Amino acid sequence: MTPESRAEDGYDLWLRYRAVEAEAQARYRPLAAAIVSEGRSDTIDAATQELRRGLGGMLGQAPATAARVTGDGAIVIGTPAGSPIVARLRLPLSGLGHEGFLIRSVTIDGRRATVIAANSDIGLLYGAFRYLQRIQLRQPVDAIDLSDKPKLDVRVLNHWDNLDRYVERGYSGESLWDWQKLPRFRDPRYTDYARANASIGINGVVLTNVNANADILRPEWLEKVKILAETFRPYGIRVYLTARFSAPIELGGMKTADPLDPAVRAWWKARTDEIYRVIPDFGGFLVKANSEGQPGPGDYKRTHADGANMLADAVKPHGGIVMWRAFVYEPHNPEDRHKQAYTDFVPLDGKFADNVLVQVKNGAIDFQPREPFHPIFGAMPRTPLMMEFQITKEYLGFATHLAYLGTMWEEVLESDTGRPRAGRTVADVLETRVRPGALTGMAGVANIGTDRNWSGSQFDQANWYAFGRMAWNPDSKAQAIAADWTRMTWGAGPAIDDAVTGMMMRSREAVVDYMTPLGLGHLMATGHHYGPAPWVSDLARPEWNPVYYHKADQGGIGFDRTKTGSDAVSQYAPSVAARYGSVDRVPEELLLWFHHVPWSHRMASGRTLWDELIVRYDRGVGEVAAMQARWDTLRDKVDPGRWAEVRDFLAIQHDEATWWRDASIAYFQSVSKLPLPAGHAAPAHDLDWYKAIDSKYAPGNGK
Amino acid sequence: MTPESRAEDGYDLWLRYRAVEAEAQARYRPLAAAIVSEGRSDTIDAATQELRRGLGGMLGQAPATAARVTGDGAIVIGTPAGSPIVARLRLPLSGLGHEGFLIRSVTIDGRRATVIAANSDIGLLYGAFRYLQRIQLRQPVDAIDLSDKPKLDVRVLNHWDNLDRYVERGYSGESLWDWQKLPRFRDPRYTDYARANASIGINGVVLTNVNANADILRPEWLEKVKILAETFRPYGIRVYLTARFSAPIELGGMKTADPLDPAVRAWWKARTDEIYRVIPDFGGFLVKANSEGQPGPGDYKRTHADGANMLADAVKPHGGIVMWRAFVYEPHNPEDRHKQAYTDFVPLDGKFADNVLVQVKNGAIDFQPREPFHPIFGAMPRTPLMMEFQITKEYLGFATHLAYLGTMWEEVLESDTGRPRAGRTVADVLETRVRPGALTGMAGVANIGTDRNWSGSQFDQANWYAFGRMAWNPDSKAQAIAADWTRMTWGAGPAIDDAVTGMMMRSREAVVDYMTPLGLGHLMATGHHYGPAPWVSDLARPEWNPVYYHKADQGGIGFDRTKTGSDAVSQYAPSVAARYGSVDRVPEELLLWFHHVPWSHRMASGRTLWDELIVRYDRGVGEVAAMQARWDTLRDKVDPGRWAEVRDFLAIQHDEATWWRDASIAYFQSVSKLPLPAGHAAPAHDLDWYKAIDSKYAPGNGK
């Protein structure tokens, strides 16, 4: 078997670099005849190698590298500090900061050239990827003049990876980090991972699960982390670790982890100093505290700020940061889970150290197919807040359901917080520094593992890609990102553009429809969250039960979060609260999130709520069937290996969408006692049949 | 990134099919100008495709397929029943059985051709692989006349794979079986797995762990198994499952699993019938019973024969078989663990049903780096016995240690059982049918997982390969197998041949030396078996503790299994027992396996046992250093991707060999109180340092 004869498998991601059409090669080749780089660093080497790899693949011949410009068509890459050629061009780089870049068509000594310039080497690497992207997209690279820089500082993946390589909420194999073979064996895949991240501007990686294990802080483990840090460094990526709050007890043999205890503080300081001795550019810590069984400052009646600031003090001398999660809900707290994070955190506004970012999930519950934006956004004006999106699809069908998350994230980022005034979106909150020098950021819970296609499916690569693009620029449009990804990943051609991008853009709404329409949420099976289980009501904590979220009874369905209920709406700005709190003004997509309404409630369609619910379930399943039909049209237009995988995964999605619909209808009908709309077939099985499904080997459950 | 620019990663295994030298291409091409096949089946298609793939890769051009011979150089492939051309040749196929094949240079209608003929389609596939192998090895294919057939009937891999994809004793990623996505998604890798197995004659796969889970027998799981069976079928591979003995209780809701209970027997019969309805060529069951916590007939005071025969009755009408493991040792049984399997099974000789094979590990303990052959071989003349080798290196350094197991298996297979007379080897026992029509077989515990290189390392592929070759022919020579694998996997060239094969041939003895020299065994750390822990003495069952095996004290070391001790030697034939039982005649490699001897015992070298022990440890570490030096000489002779991986793994092996040596010396010196030989450096750390090492995240532990 030669490599040439092997089917494509998706390993290349969006850096696919297949040969462009002959006509395009003829157009691009004269513009990419040589690469001229001055200055030398691992990052510049990476940029040069990427250009050679990408241009070699797409244009059929890798440009030579040269020390000076000797003819037309050179690509000159450098910083003013490192490259006299670039310095002489006196380019307008001052506004580009540390990570921005400029690409411009210029004349050097009478020769036509393209310059990729930046204030730092990492900017050059980002510029090199952008240059290649233009050719991947068949955009012109003559008469080019573009510059770009990221709108957020910290753009990180959160890997929920355990030290035994098990990945919590992982649907794509094991953890990439082969701890058992580190530090001796540097898997070449680490470099391809770093390349992919750098290509979309990701500049940090939290290696370990937020449900943290103190052992990662042991010296022998730090030696392993060091190798990953070294491998990622040329690509502008810092490593971060999760800090288990009780580590002073577990590793230090102390009796307490009280963040105000001087000995505890000294222990963290010493341990942090040791980390920085091994990894001088260590990024810092991510912490999940006092949530779902994790230890935290609350164990000592201290606040989240007390906990975060202790760690912030430890990393501060080294330039590190702390990302402190706002995802908290407490056992025995009867308050609507929706409200707890806000209740805990908003009073702490202004109390966090300078180098702390509070990391807030997009919604107040937990990465559901649809949630309203989290009320904390806009409500902590003196605290740097970073977004936490979940790229891995814990609640949207694991690896097999085609669900492009760009549209979901765009919906959240465009949401108007109403704070301090109308029109200020979540994206604005993320992008605006709360004071000069304050941090900004976005985190994505990674969907990356050892599967050959990285993300468990071909289309889940798009979510990794879209996350990077949105972290770079939260104002990005999901449609444009999908269109770019489609071309880079599947090849150019209008049939591919239309079909692939079209499927993506409607896919998330399809999942909402067949899983949790009209503002329902958290109806998934217990633990692994695979498949429907709206009937579950017997778990120890009320808020673990689906019935807690839908509150269906014979009278109606939905969670009353208005003043007559939990009043969670009051945590939003008044203008937002007025809209969400009104059964007439709330968007129908969020109706049952905020209101308990009778089954007979009249919807905009003119249907009753009950009938509309059925229509939505059907619509979701129908949308999957439509995706299958659309994908069939690409059978001869994309490579057969990836085509067949997607075909099979869509078949799984159709099976499971049908399962979701039918199980949900069977259950809700048992509650509503209402007939199905005329002509609608009954579910294929009775409710007990669906209840009996036990998916105990489903992947990704917490351990 | 184009595929061409990507580093080799080992995915191709020994079916690498890279272009041969131009001179060899010129020689082979005229002999492989076309493929002529008559008759049509999935297996013939697989053979034809493999020939096209292999010849296309090696000769630069895939031969055309044709319906008849129209010129010189055709490869004619067919059975007399399916191909009139082949039938007319009247080839001597009668002795080749169902799986054998013949390859011969012939003249057809005046044209020179090569015929690959067999009595069945699977023989044709085996013949096609053998033909390709000859070119991979640069052997002539003109004037060819060879035939071959397997010496054993059942040649199976045992996958110790759980339903959540965790692999017990797995060091190469997750289970290949992606149960979550089955039955809809047929991973293309299943086909490559089947190709690799067929290329070495493996004809069966037990999909599930011997520590069994009854759920695999549920209807929804059988639908998944069915897809694997369908995928493997064209490659002559049957699927088998492990049967959990208590399944009638767990799945059937019964109160008992007593094998003599008619209701239990009826339950198994019905369940088995159901399996065959889904998978008509289902191979049968593998059972681990009454061992290490598994349920079994002993729970009802029934014998292993009672249990095996119940299942054998169930599969018999369908042509299925039962493989019943002899690996048993019981809690609270004070008898030397070495003796228990023999004690339990030999009295049952002749009591097993016709379609039962008793599966016996190569040694009486558990896949140690060196064990004497199992005394059951030769001692059950009326019972079909199959060998169980462990391909995965649970006790020989996991995936990172280079340890070619061919030499170990050869040593066992060549061992003289002395039963019923001198000269009858273990291989003879395996190959000889105990009555006409009785079964023969060999099982290998697989080392295959989702790692890109399949086996966790490049060199562990050789153990998969060697297993297949030895299952096909237990009289094969380890050296010849290593030489073939080297050329097929790494490329032709005397430097490669010498270095790679040379490293392989000495590698297992190196592991013996640095882990368990002179007949020591079972000194690995608890549970995961990663690294040395000869000091462990506090586990619940005596035979779980390393001190049980080495019995070192100030007076000496070793397990007295002679008449003055456990008398395990008496389970061997008298001639063998006399040799093993004599401290003077026992091979030094097995000295401490059978004898407790004083530290001052004089060895053949003239050294004391204590000094010899140190020498052996040093020799093992030195051998690894020599392998590293040898590998360095291949830096420019093999591809850089695989070369670097092996280099790094050898570095890990050297680290760990040193750890083994030093920890072992530190411990044994604490017992012997003897000085190290003059000039020998003390271990780098004190004993407590080694004892404190906690490898709790090491892979592959049982769950």
Side-chain angles (χ1 to χ4, degrees):
Chain A
M1 178 166 49
T2 60
E4 292 74 17
S5 69
R6 206 185 276 159
E8 279 201 65
D9 53 24
Y11 184 83
D12 293 338
L13 295 162
W14 49 88
L15 304 175
R16 194 157 157 271
Y17 300 151
R18 289 294 186 286
V20 302
E21 306 71 24
E23 157 277 313
Q25 284 196 346
R27 204 166 67 236
Y28 288 123
R29 270 191 183 163
L31 301 162
I35 298 170
V36 175
S37 73
E38 294 176 301
R40 162 81 193 66
S41 74
D42 290 343
T43 300
I44 293 178
D45 283 354
T48 306
Q49 282 168 25
E50 195 72 28
L51 286 170
R52 285 179 51 81
R53 181 202 293 253
L55 295 170
M58 291 189 286
L59 307 186
Q61 194 182 312
T65 52
R68 17 188 223 105
V69 177
T70 58
D72 283 341
I75 299 169
V76 177
I77 183 164
T79 63
S83 165
I85 302 175
V86 172
R88 279 203 305 277
L89 293 170
R90 301 187 177 282
L91 298 164
L93 303 176
S94 60
L96 296 179
H98 180 69
E99 297 183 306
F101 58 85
L102 177 147
I103 308 176
R104 185 179 280 190
S105 301
V106 294
T107 304
I108 298 174
D109 299 336
R111 311 292 193 177
R112 292 178 56 195
T114 308
V115 64
I116 301 173
N119 294 312
S120 71
D121 292 352
I122 187 61
L124 300 178
L125 181 62
Y126 291 153
F129 277 113
R130 186 66 62 85
Y131 178 88
L132 290 168
Q133 181 191 294
R134 289 187 68 86
I135 299 180
Q136 290 179 280
L137 299 177
R138 312 293 190 272
Q139 295 168 338
V141 296
D142 57 343
I144 194 172
D145 186 5
L146 74 83
S147 64
D148 199 6
K149 64 176 180 178
K151 290 187 177 167
L152 300 180
D153 302 323
V154 179
R155 307 177 299 279
V156 291
L157 290 177
N158 292 0
H159 285 261
W160 289 356
D161 293 11
N162 293 345
L163 303 188
D164 63 359
R165 300 189 78 181
Y166 182 83
V167 181
E168 185 165 338
R169 311 312 174 184
Y171 313 105
S172 54
E174 297 185 286
S175 170
L176 282 183
W177 327 133
D178 191 352
W179 297 116
Q180 173 76 8
K181 301 197 187 83
L182 284 166
R184 283 284 190 191
F185 176 56
R186 202 180 287 237
D187 190 331
R189 194 161 184 170
Y190 302 149
T191 300
D192 286 333
Y193 166 82
R195 288 176 50 236
N197 278 336
S199 77
I200 49 177
I202 289 169
N203 67 359
V205 175
V206 185
L207 298 173
T208 47
N209 194 348
V210 288
N211 292 320
N213 185 326
D215 285 334
I216 192 66
L217 304 175
R218 293 183 187 273
E220 65 270 28
W221 285 85
L222 295 177
E223 290 301 320
K224 300 170 188 274
V225 173
K226 175 186 179 174
I227 299 300
L228 296 175
E230 283 178 8
T231 309
F232 300 159
R233 189 171 294 129
Y235 297 89
I237 297 165
R238 288 185 174 204
V239 302
Y240 299 77
L241 296 173
T242 47
R244 184 161 166 90
F245 203 79
S246 51
I249 299 170
E250 291 155 20
L251 299 187
M254 303 182 69
K255 291 258 189 297
T256 177
D258 181 349
L260 300 190
D261 183 307
V264 170
R265 300 175 72 85
W267 185 89
W268 277 110
K269 210 159 181 45
R271 184 63 54 142
T272 302
D273 290 347
E274 186 183 322
I275 295 173
Y276 278 94
R277 269 195 298 278
V278 181
I279 305 156
D281 59 349
F282 177 67
F285 295 118
L286 168 64
V287 186
K288 172 179 180 177
N290 294 123
S291 178
E292 300 184 320
Q294 291 297 303
D299 303 346
Y300 310 96
K301 304 202 187 311
R302 310 302 185 188
T303 69
H304 285 286
D306 292 332
N309 292 346
M310 171 190 66
L311 293 171
D313 280 355
V315 297
K316 176 131 190 151
H318 307 284
I321 67 168
V322 170
M323 296 171 283
W324 192 271
R325 291 175 100 224
F327 177 68
V328 296
Y329 62 102
E330 286 169 44
H332 318 304
N333 184 344
E335 190 181 38
D336 177 4
R337 176 174 161 189
H338 194 293
K339 297 175 70 176
Q340 295 184 37
Y342 183 103
T343 302
D344 278 11
F345 275 81
V346 170
L348 300 174
D349 188 30
K351 303 217 164 113
F352 288 94
D354 278 354
N355 57 334
V356 174
L357 276 158
V358 173
Q359 180 169 312
V360 184
K361 289 189 182 183
N362 58 277
I365 300 296
D366 194 13
F367 300 135
Q368 294 306 298
R370 170 166 279 122
E371 293 191 42
F373 73 93
H374 202 302
I376 284 183
F377 290 111
M380 295 182 71
R382 293 177 295 159
T383 305
L385 302 180
M386 69 190 292
M387 175 62 74
E388 178 175 329
F389 284 135
Q390 190 184 49
I391 310 171
T392 189
K393 303 204 313 300
E394 175 182 355
Y395 295 101
L396 288 99
F398 293 11
T400 42
H401 293 215
L402 198 168
Y404 172 54
L405 303 180
T407 50
M408 179 164 90
W409 299 336
E410 179 181 63
E411 178 180 296
V412 171
L413 292 165
E414 290 181 348
S415 294
D416 184 351
T417 68
R419 281 176 167 138
R421 67 194 72 80
R424 192 148 178 279
T425 65
V426 171
D428 294 334
V429 170
L430 296 176
E431 293 170 21
T432 309
R433 297 185 195 285
V434 300
R435 56 187 166 267
L439 294 162
T440 60
M442 187 183 290
V445 181
N447 67 349
I448 303 160
T450 54
D451 273 7
R452 185 66 183 166
N453 63 23
W454 299 88
S455 298
S457 80
Q458 304 300 332
F459 273 88
D460 278 318
Q461 297 179 356
N463 293 321
W464 178 10
Y465 179 82
F467 169 76
R469 291 279 300 266
M470 288 194 167
W472 180 275
N473 178 5
D475 304 313
S476 299
K477 295 296 160 205
Q479 166 93 36
I481 293 171
D484 288 354
W485 177 82
T486 298
R487 282 209 155 194
M488 295 166 80
T489 305
W490 292 100
I496 297 174
D497 289 348
D498 290 353
V500 176
T501 306
M503 289 166 65
M504 290 168 74
M505 290 302 291
R506 296 166 64 167
S507 59
R508 176 262 190 153
E509 201 66 40
V511 176
V512 171
D513 278 341
Y514 63 69
M515 286 189 184
T516 53
L518 297 173
L520 292 172
H522 218 296
L523 307 186
M524 292 76 185
T526 305
H528 47 65
H529 299 153
Y530 175 64
W535 46 78
V536 170
S537 62
D538 59 353
L539 304 179
R541 284 169 60 170
E543 74 279 10
W544 285 349
N545 290 289
V547 298
Y548 172 91
Y549 295 95
H550 64 66
K551 300 200 188 300
D553 54 28
Q554 201 167 345
I557 182 171
F559 196 132
D560 182 2
R561 291 191 165 105
T562 69
K563 283 188 205 323
T564 57
S566 78
D567 200 25
V569 288
S570 70
Q571 294 184 334
Y572 289 97
S575 59
V576 176
R579 194 158 48 93
Y580 287 167
S582 159
V583 74
D584 299 319
R585 294 180 58 208
V586 68
E588 280 193 348
E589 285 63 37
L590 294 174
L591 175 65
L592 304 180
W593 192 272
F594 287 111
H595 300 274
H596 187 82
V597 292
W599 296 105
S600 59
H601 177 81
R602 195 59 58 180
M603 304 294 288
S605 62
R607 296 185 197 99
T608 65
L609 168 64
W610 169 248
D611 285 359
E612 183 71 24
L613 198 65
I614 308 296
V615 165
R616 298 289 175 116
Y617 280 122
D618 284 342
R619 191 172 78 177
V621 175
E623 193 68 60
V624 179
M627 289 201 286
Q628 291 182 286
R630 205 145 189 193
W631 190 249
D632 278 341
T633 68
L634 297 184
R635 179 191 279 266
D636 301 314
K637 298 196 169 62
V638 301
D639 57 284
R642 293 187 299 164
W643 183 84
E645 183 185 308
V646 173
R647 176 202 56 197
D648 290 350
F649 283 22
L650 286 170
I652 293 171
Q653 185 174 10
H654 193 265
D655 288 349
E656 295 185 359
T658 306
W659 170 29
W660 263 98
R661 177 192 65 186
D662 291 355
S664 301
I665 290 177
Y667 168 69
F668 286 125
Q669 192 176 28
S670 79
V671 176
S672 75
K673 318 285 191 197
L674 293 169
L676 293 176
H680 195 286
H685 304 277
D686 66 18
L687 180 57
D688 285 341
W689 190 90
Y690 294 107
K691 285 186 174 178
I693 293 174
D694 180 356
S695 308
K696 61 184 164 180
Y697 307 103
N701 206 348
K703 279 190 182 181
Chain B
M1 176 167 47
T2 60
E4 292 74 15
S5 69
R6 205 184 279 159
E8 278 200 65
D9 53 26
Y11 184 82
D12 293 338
L13 296 161
W14 49 88
L15 304 175
R16 194 157 156 270
Y17 301 151
R18 289 297 185 283
V20 302
E21 306 73 22
E23 157 275 314
Q25 284 196 346
R27 202 168 67 238
Y28 288 123
R29 271 191 184 163
L31 300 163
I35 299 170
V36 176
S37 73
E38 293 175 302
R40 162 84 193 61
S41 74
D42 290 342
T43 299
I44 292 178
D45 282 355
T48 306
Q49 282 168 26
E50 195 72 28
L51 286 170
R52 285 179 50 83
R53 181 202 294 254
L55 295 170
M58 291 191 286
L59 307 187
Q61 194 182 314
T65 51
R68 29 194 210 98
V69 177
T70 57
D72 283 342
I75 300 169
V76 176
I77 183 163
T79 63
S83 165
I85 302 174
V86 172
R88 278 201 307 275
L89 293 169
R90 299 186 178 284
L91 298 164
L93 303 176
S94 60
L96 296 178
H98 180 69
E99 298 184 306
F101 58 85
L102 176 148
I103 308 176
R104 185 179 281 190
S105 302
V106 294
T107 303
I108 298 175
D109 300 335
R111 311 292 195 177
R112 293 180 55 195
T114 308
V115 64
I116 301 173
N119 294 313
S120 70
D121 292 350
I122 187 61
L124 300 178
L125 181 62
Y126 291 153
F129 278 112
R130 185 67 61 86
Y131 178 87
L132 291 168
Q133 180 190 296
R134 290 187 68 86
I135 299 180
Q136 290 180 280
L137 299 177
R138 310 294 189 271
Q139 294 168 339
V141 295
D142 58 341
I144 194 172
D145 186 7
L146 74 83
S147 63
D148 199 7
K149 63 175 181 178
K151 289 188 178 168
L152 300 180
D153 303 322
V154 179
R155 308 178 298 277
V156 290
L157 291 177
N158 292 0
H159 286 262
W160 289 356
D161 293 11
N162 293 344
L163 302 190
D164 64 359
R165 302 188 78 179
Y166 181 83
V167 181
E168 184 165 337
R169 312 312 174 184
Y171 313 106
S172 54
E174 297 185 284
S175 170
L176 281 184
W177 327 132
D178 191 351
W179 297 116
Q180 173 75 10
K181 301 197 188 83
L182 283 166
R184 283 285 192 191
F185 177 56
R186 201 180 288 235
D187 190 333
R189 195 161 184 170
Y190 302 148
T191 300
D192 286 333
Y193 166 82
R195 288 175 52 235
N197 278 336
S199 77
I200 49 178
I202 289 170
N203 66 1
V205 175
V206 185
L207 297 173
T208 47
N209 193 347
V210 288
N211 291 319
N213 185 327
D215 284 335
I216 192 65
L217 304 176
R218 292 183 188 272
E220 64 270 29
W221 285 86
L222 295 177
E223 290 300 320
K224 300 170 188 272
V225 173
K226 175 187 179 175
I227 299 300
L228 296 175
E230 283 179 7
T231 308
F232 300 160
R233 189 170 294 128
Y235 297 90
I237 297 165
R238 287 185 175 205
V239 301
Y240 300 77
L241 296 173
T242 48
R244 184 160 166 90
F245 203 78
S246 52
I249 299 170
E250 292 155 21
L251 299 187
M254 302 181 69
K255 292 256 189 298
T256 178
D258 180 349
L260 300 191
D261 183 307
V264 170
R265 300 174 72 87
W267 186 90
W268 277 111
K269 211 157 180 48
R271 185 63 55 143
T272 303
D273 290 347
E274 186 183 322
I275 295 173
Y276 279 93
R277 268 195 298 277
V278 180
I279 306 157
D281 61 348
F282 177 67
F285 295 119
L286 169 65
V287 186
K288 173 179 180 176
N290 292 123
S291 178
E292 300 183 319
Q294 292 297 303
D299 303 346
Y300 309 96
K301 305 204 186 311
R302 311 300 184 188
T303 69
H304 285 286
D306 292 331
N309 293 348
M310 171 189 64
L311 293 171
D313 280 355
V315 297
K316 176 129 188 154
H318 308 285
I321 67 168
V322 170
M323 297 171 281
W324 192 272
R325 293 176 96 224
F327 176 68
V328 296
Y329 62 102
E330 286 169 42
H332 320 303
N333 184 345
E335 189 181 39
D336 178 5
R337 175 174 161 187
H338 194 292
K339 298 175 69 174
Q340 295 185 38
Y342 182 103
T343 303
D344 278 10
F345 275 82
V346 170
L348 300 174
D349 187 29
K351 303 219 165 114
F352 288 93
D354 279 353
N355 58 332
V356 174
L357 276 158
V358 173
Q359 181 169 313
V360 184
K361 289 189 183 183
N362 58 276
I365 300 296
D366 194 12
F367 300 135
Q368 295 304 299
R370 172 167 277 122
E371 294 189 42
F373 72 94
H374 202 301
I376 284 182
F377 290 111
M380 296 182 70
R382 291 177 296 159
T383 305
L385 302 181
M386 67 190 293
M387 173 63 75
E388 178 175 329
F389 285 134
Q390 192 185 48
I391 310 171
T392 190
K393 305 206 312 298
E394 174 182 355
Y395 295 101
L396 288 99
F398 292 11
T400 44
H401 293 216
L402 199 167
Y404 172 55
L405 302 180
T407 50
M408 178 164 93
W409 299 335
E410 180 181 63
E411 179 179 297
V412 172
L413 292 166
E414 289 181 350
S415 294
D416 185 350
T417 68
R419 281 177 168 138
R421 68 195 69 84
R424 190 145 180 281
T425 64
V426 171
D428 294 333
V429 170
L430 296 177
E431 293 170 18
T432 309
R433 298 185 195 285
V434 300
R435 56 187 166 268
L439 294 163
T440 60
M442 185 182 291
V445 180
N447 66 349
I448 302 160
T450 55
D451 273 8
R452 186 65 182 166
N453 62 25
W454 299 88
S455 298
S457 80
Q458 304 301 331
F459 273 87
D460 278 319
Q461 297 179 355
N463 293 321
W464 178 9
Y465 180 83
F467 169 75
R469 291 280 298 264
M470 290 193 166
W472 180 276
N473 179 4
D475 303 313
S476 300
K477 294 298 160 204
Q479 167 92 36
I481 293 171
D484 288 353
W485 178 82
T486 298
R487 284 211 153 191
M488 295 166 79
T489 305
W490 293 101
I496 296 175
D497 289 348
D498 290 354
V500 176
T501 306
M503 289 166 64
M504 289 167 73
M505 290 303 292
R506 297 165 64 165
S507 59
R508 177 259 188 155
E509 200 66 39
V511 176
V512 170
D513 278 342
Y514 62 70
M515 285 189 185
T516 52
L518 297 174
L520 291 172
H522 218 296
L523 307 185
M524 294 73 184
T526 305
H528 48 64
H529 300 152
Y530 175 62
W535 47 78
V536 170
S537 63
D538 59 353
L539 303 179
R541 285 168 61 168
E543 74 279 12
W544 286 348
N545 290 290
V547 299
Y548 172 91
Y549 295 95
H550 64 68
K551 301 201 187 301
D553 56 28
Q554 202 166 347
I557 183 172
F559 197 131
D560 182 2
R561 292 192 164 106
T562 69
K563 285 189 202 322
T564 58
S566 78
D567 200 24
V569 289
S570 70
Q571 295 185 334
Y572 289 97
S575 59
V576 176
R579 191 156 52 93
Y580 287 169
S582 159
V583 75
D584 299 319
R585 293 180 57 206
V586 69
E588 281 193 348
E589 286 64 35
L590 293 174
L591 176 64
L592 304 179
W593 192 272
F594 287 111
H595 300 273
H596 187 82
V597 292
W599 296 107
S600 58
H601 177 81
R602 194 61 59 181
M603 303 294 288
S605 62
R607 297 185 197 98
T608 64
L609 169 64
W610 170 247
D611 285 0
E612 183 71 22
L613 198 65
I614 309 294
V615 165
R616 298 289 176 118
Y617 281 122
D618 285 341
R619 191 173 78 177
V621 175
E623 193 68 60
V624 179
M627 288 200 286
Q628 292 181 288
R630 204 145 188 195
W631 190 250
D632 278 341
T633 67
L634 297 183
R635 181 190 279 266
D636 302 315
K637 297 196 170 64
V638 301
D639 57 283
R642 292 187 299 164
W643 183 85
E645 182 185 308
V646 172
R647 176 202 56 198
D648 290 349
F649 283 22
L650 286 169
I652 292 171
Q653 185 174 9
H654 193 265
D655 288 348
E656 295 185 359
T658 306
W659 171 29
W660 263 98
R661 177 192 65 186
D662 291 356
S664 301
I665 290 177
Y667 168 69
F668 286 125
Q669 194 176 25
S670 78
V671 176
S672 75
K673 318 283 189 198
L674 292 170
L676 293 175
H680 194 286
H685 304 278
D686 65 17
L687 180 59
D688 286 340
W689 190 90
Y690 294 107
K691 285 185 174 179
I693 293 173
D694 180 356
S695 308
K696 61 183 161 180
Y697 306 103
N701 205 346
K703 281 192 181 178

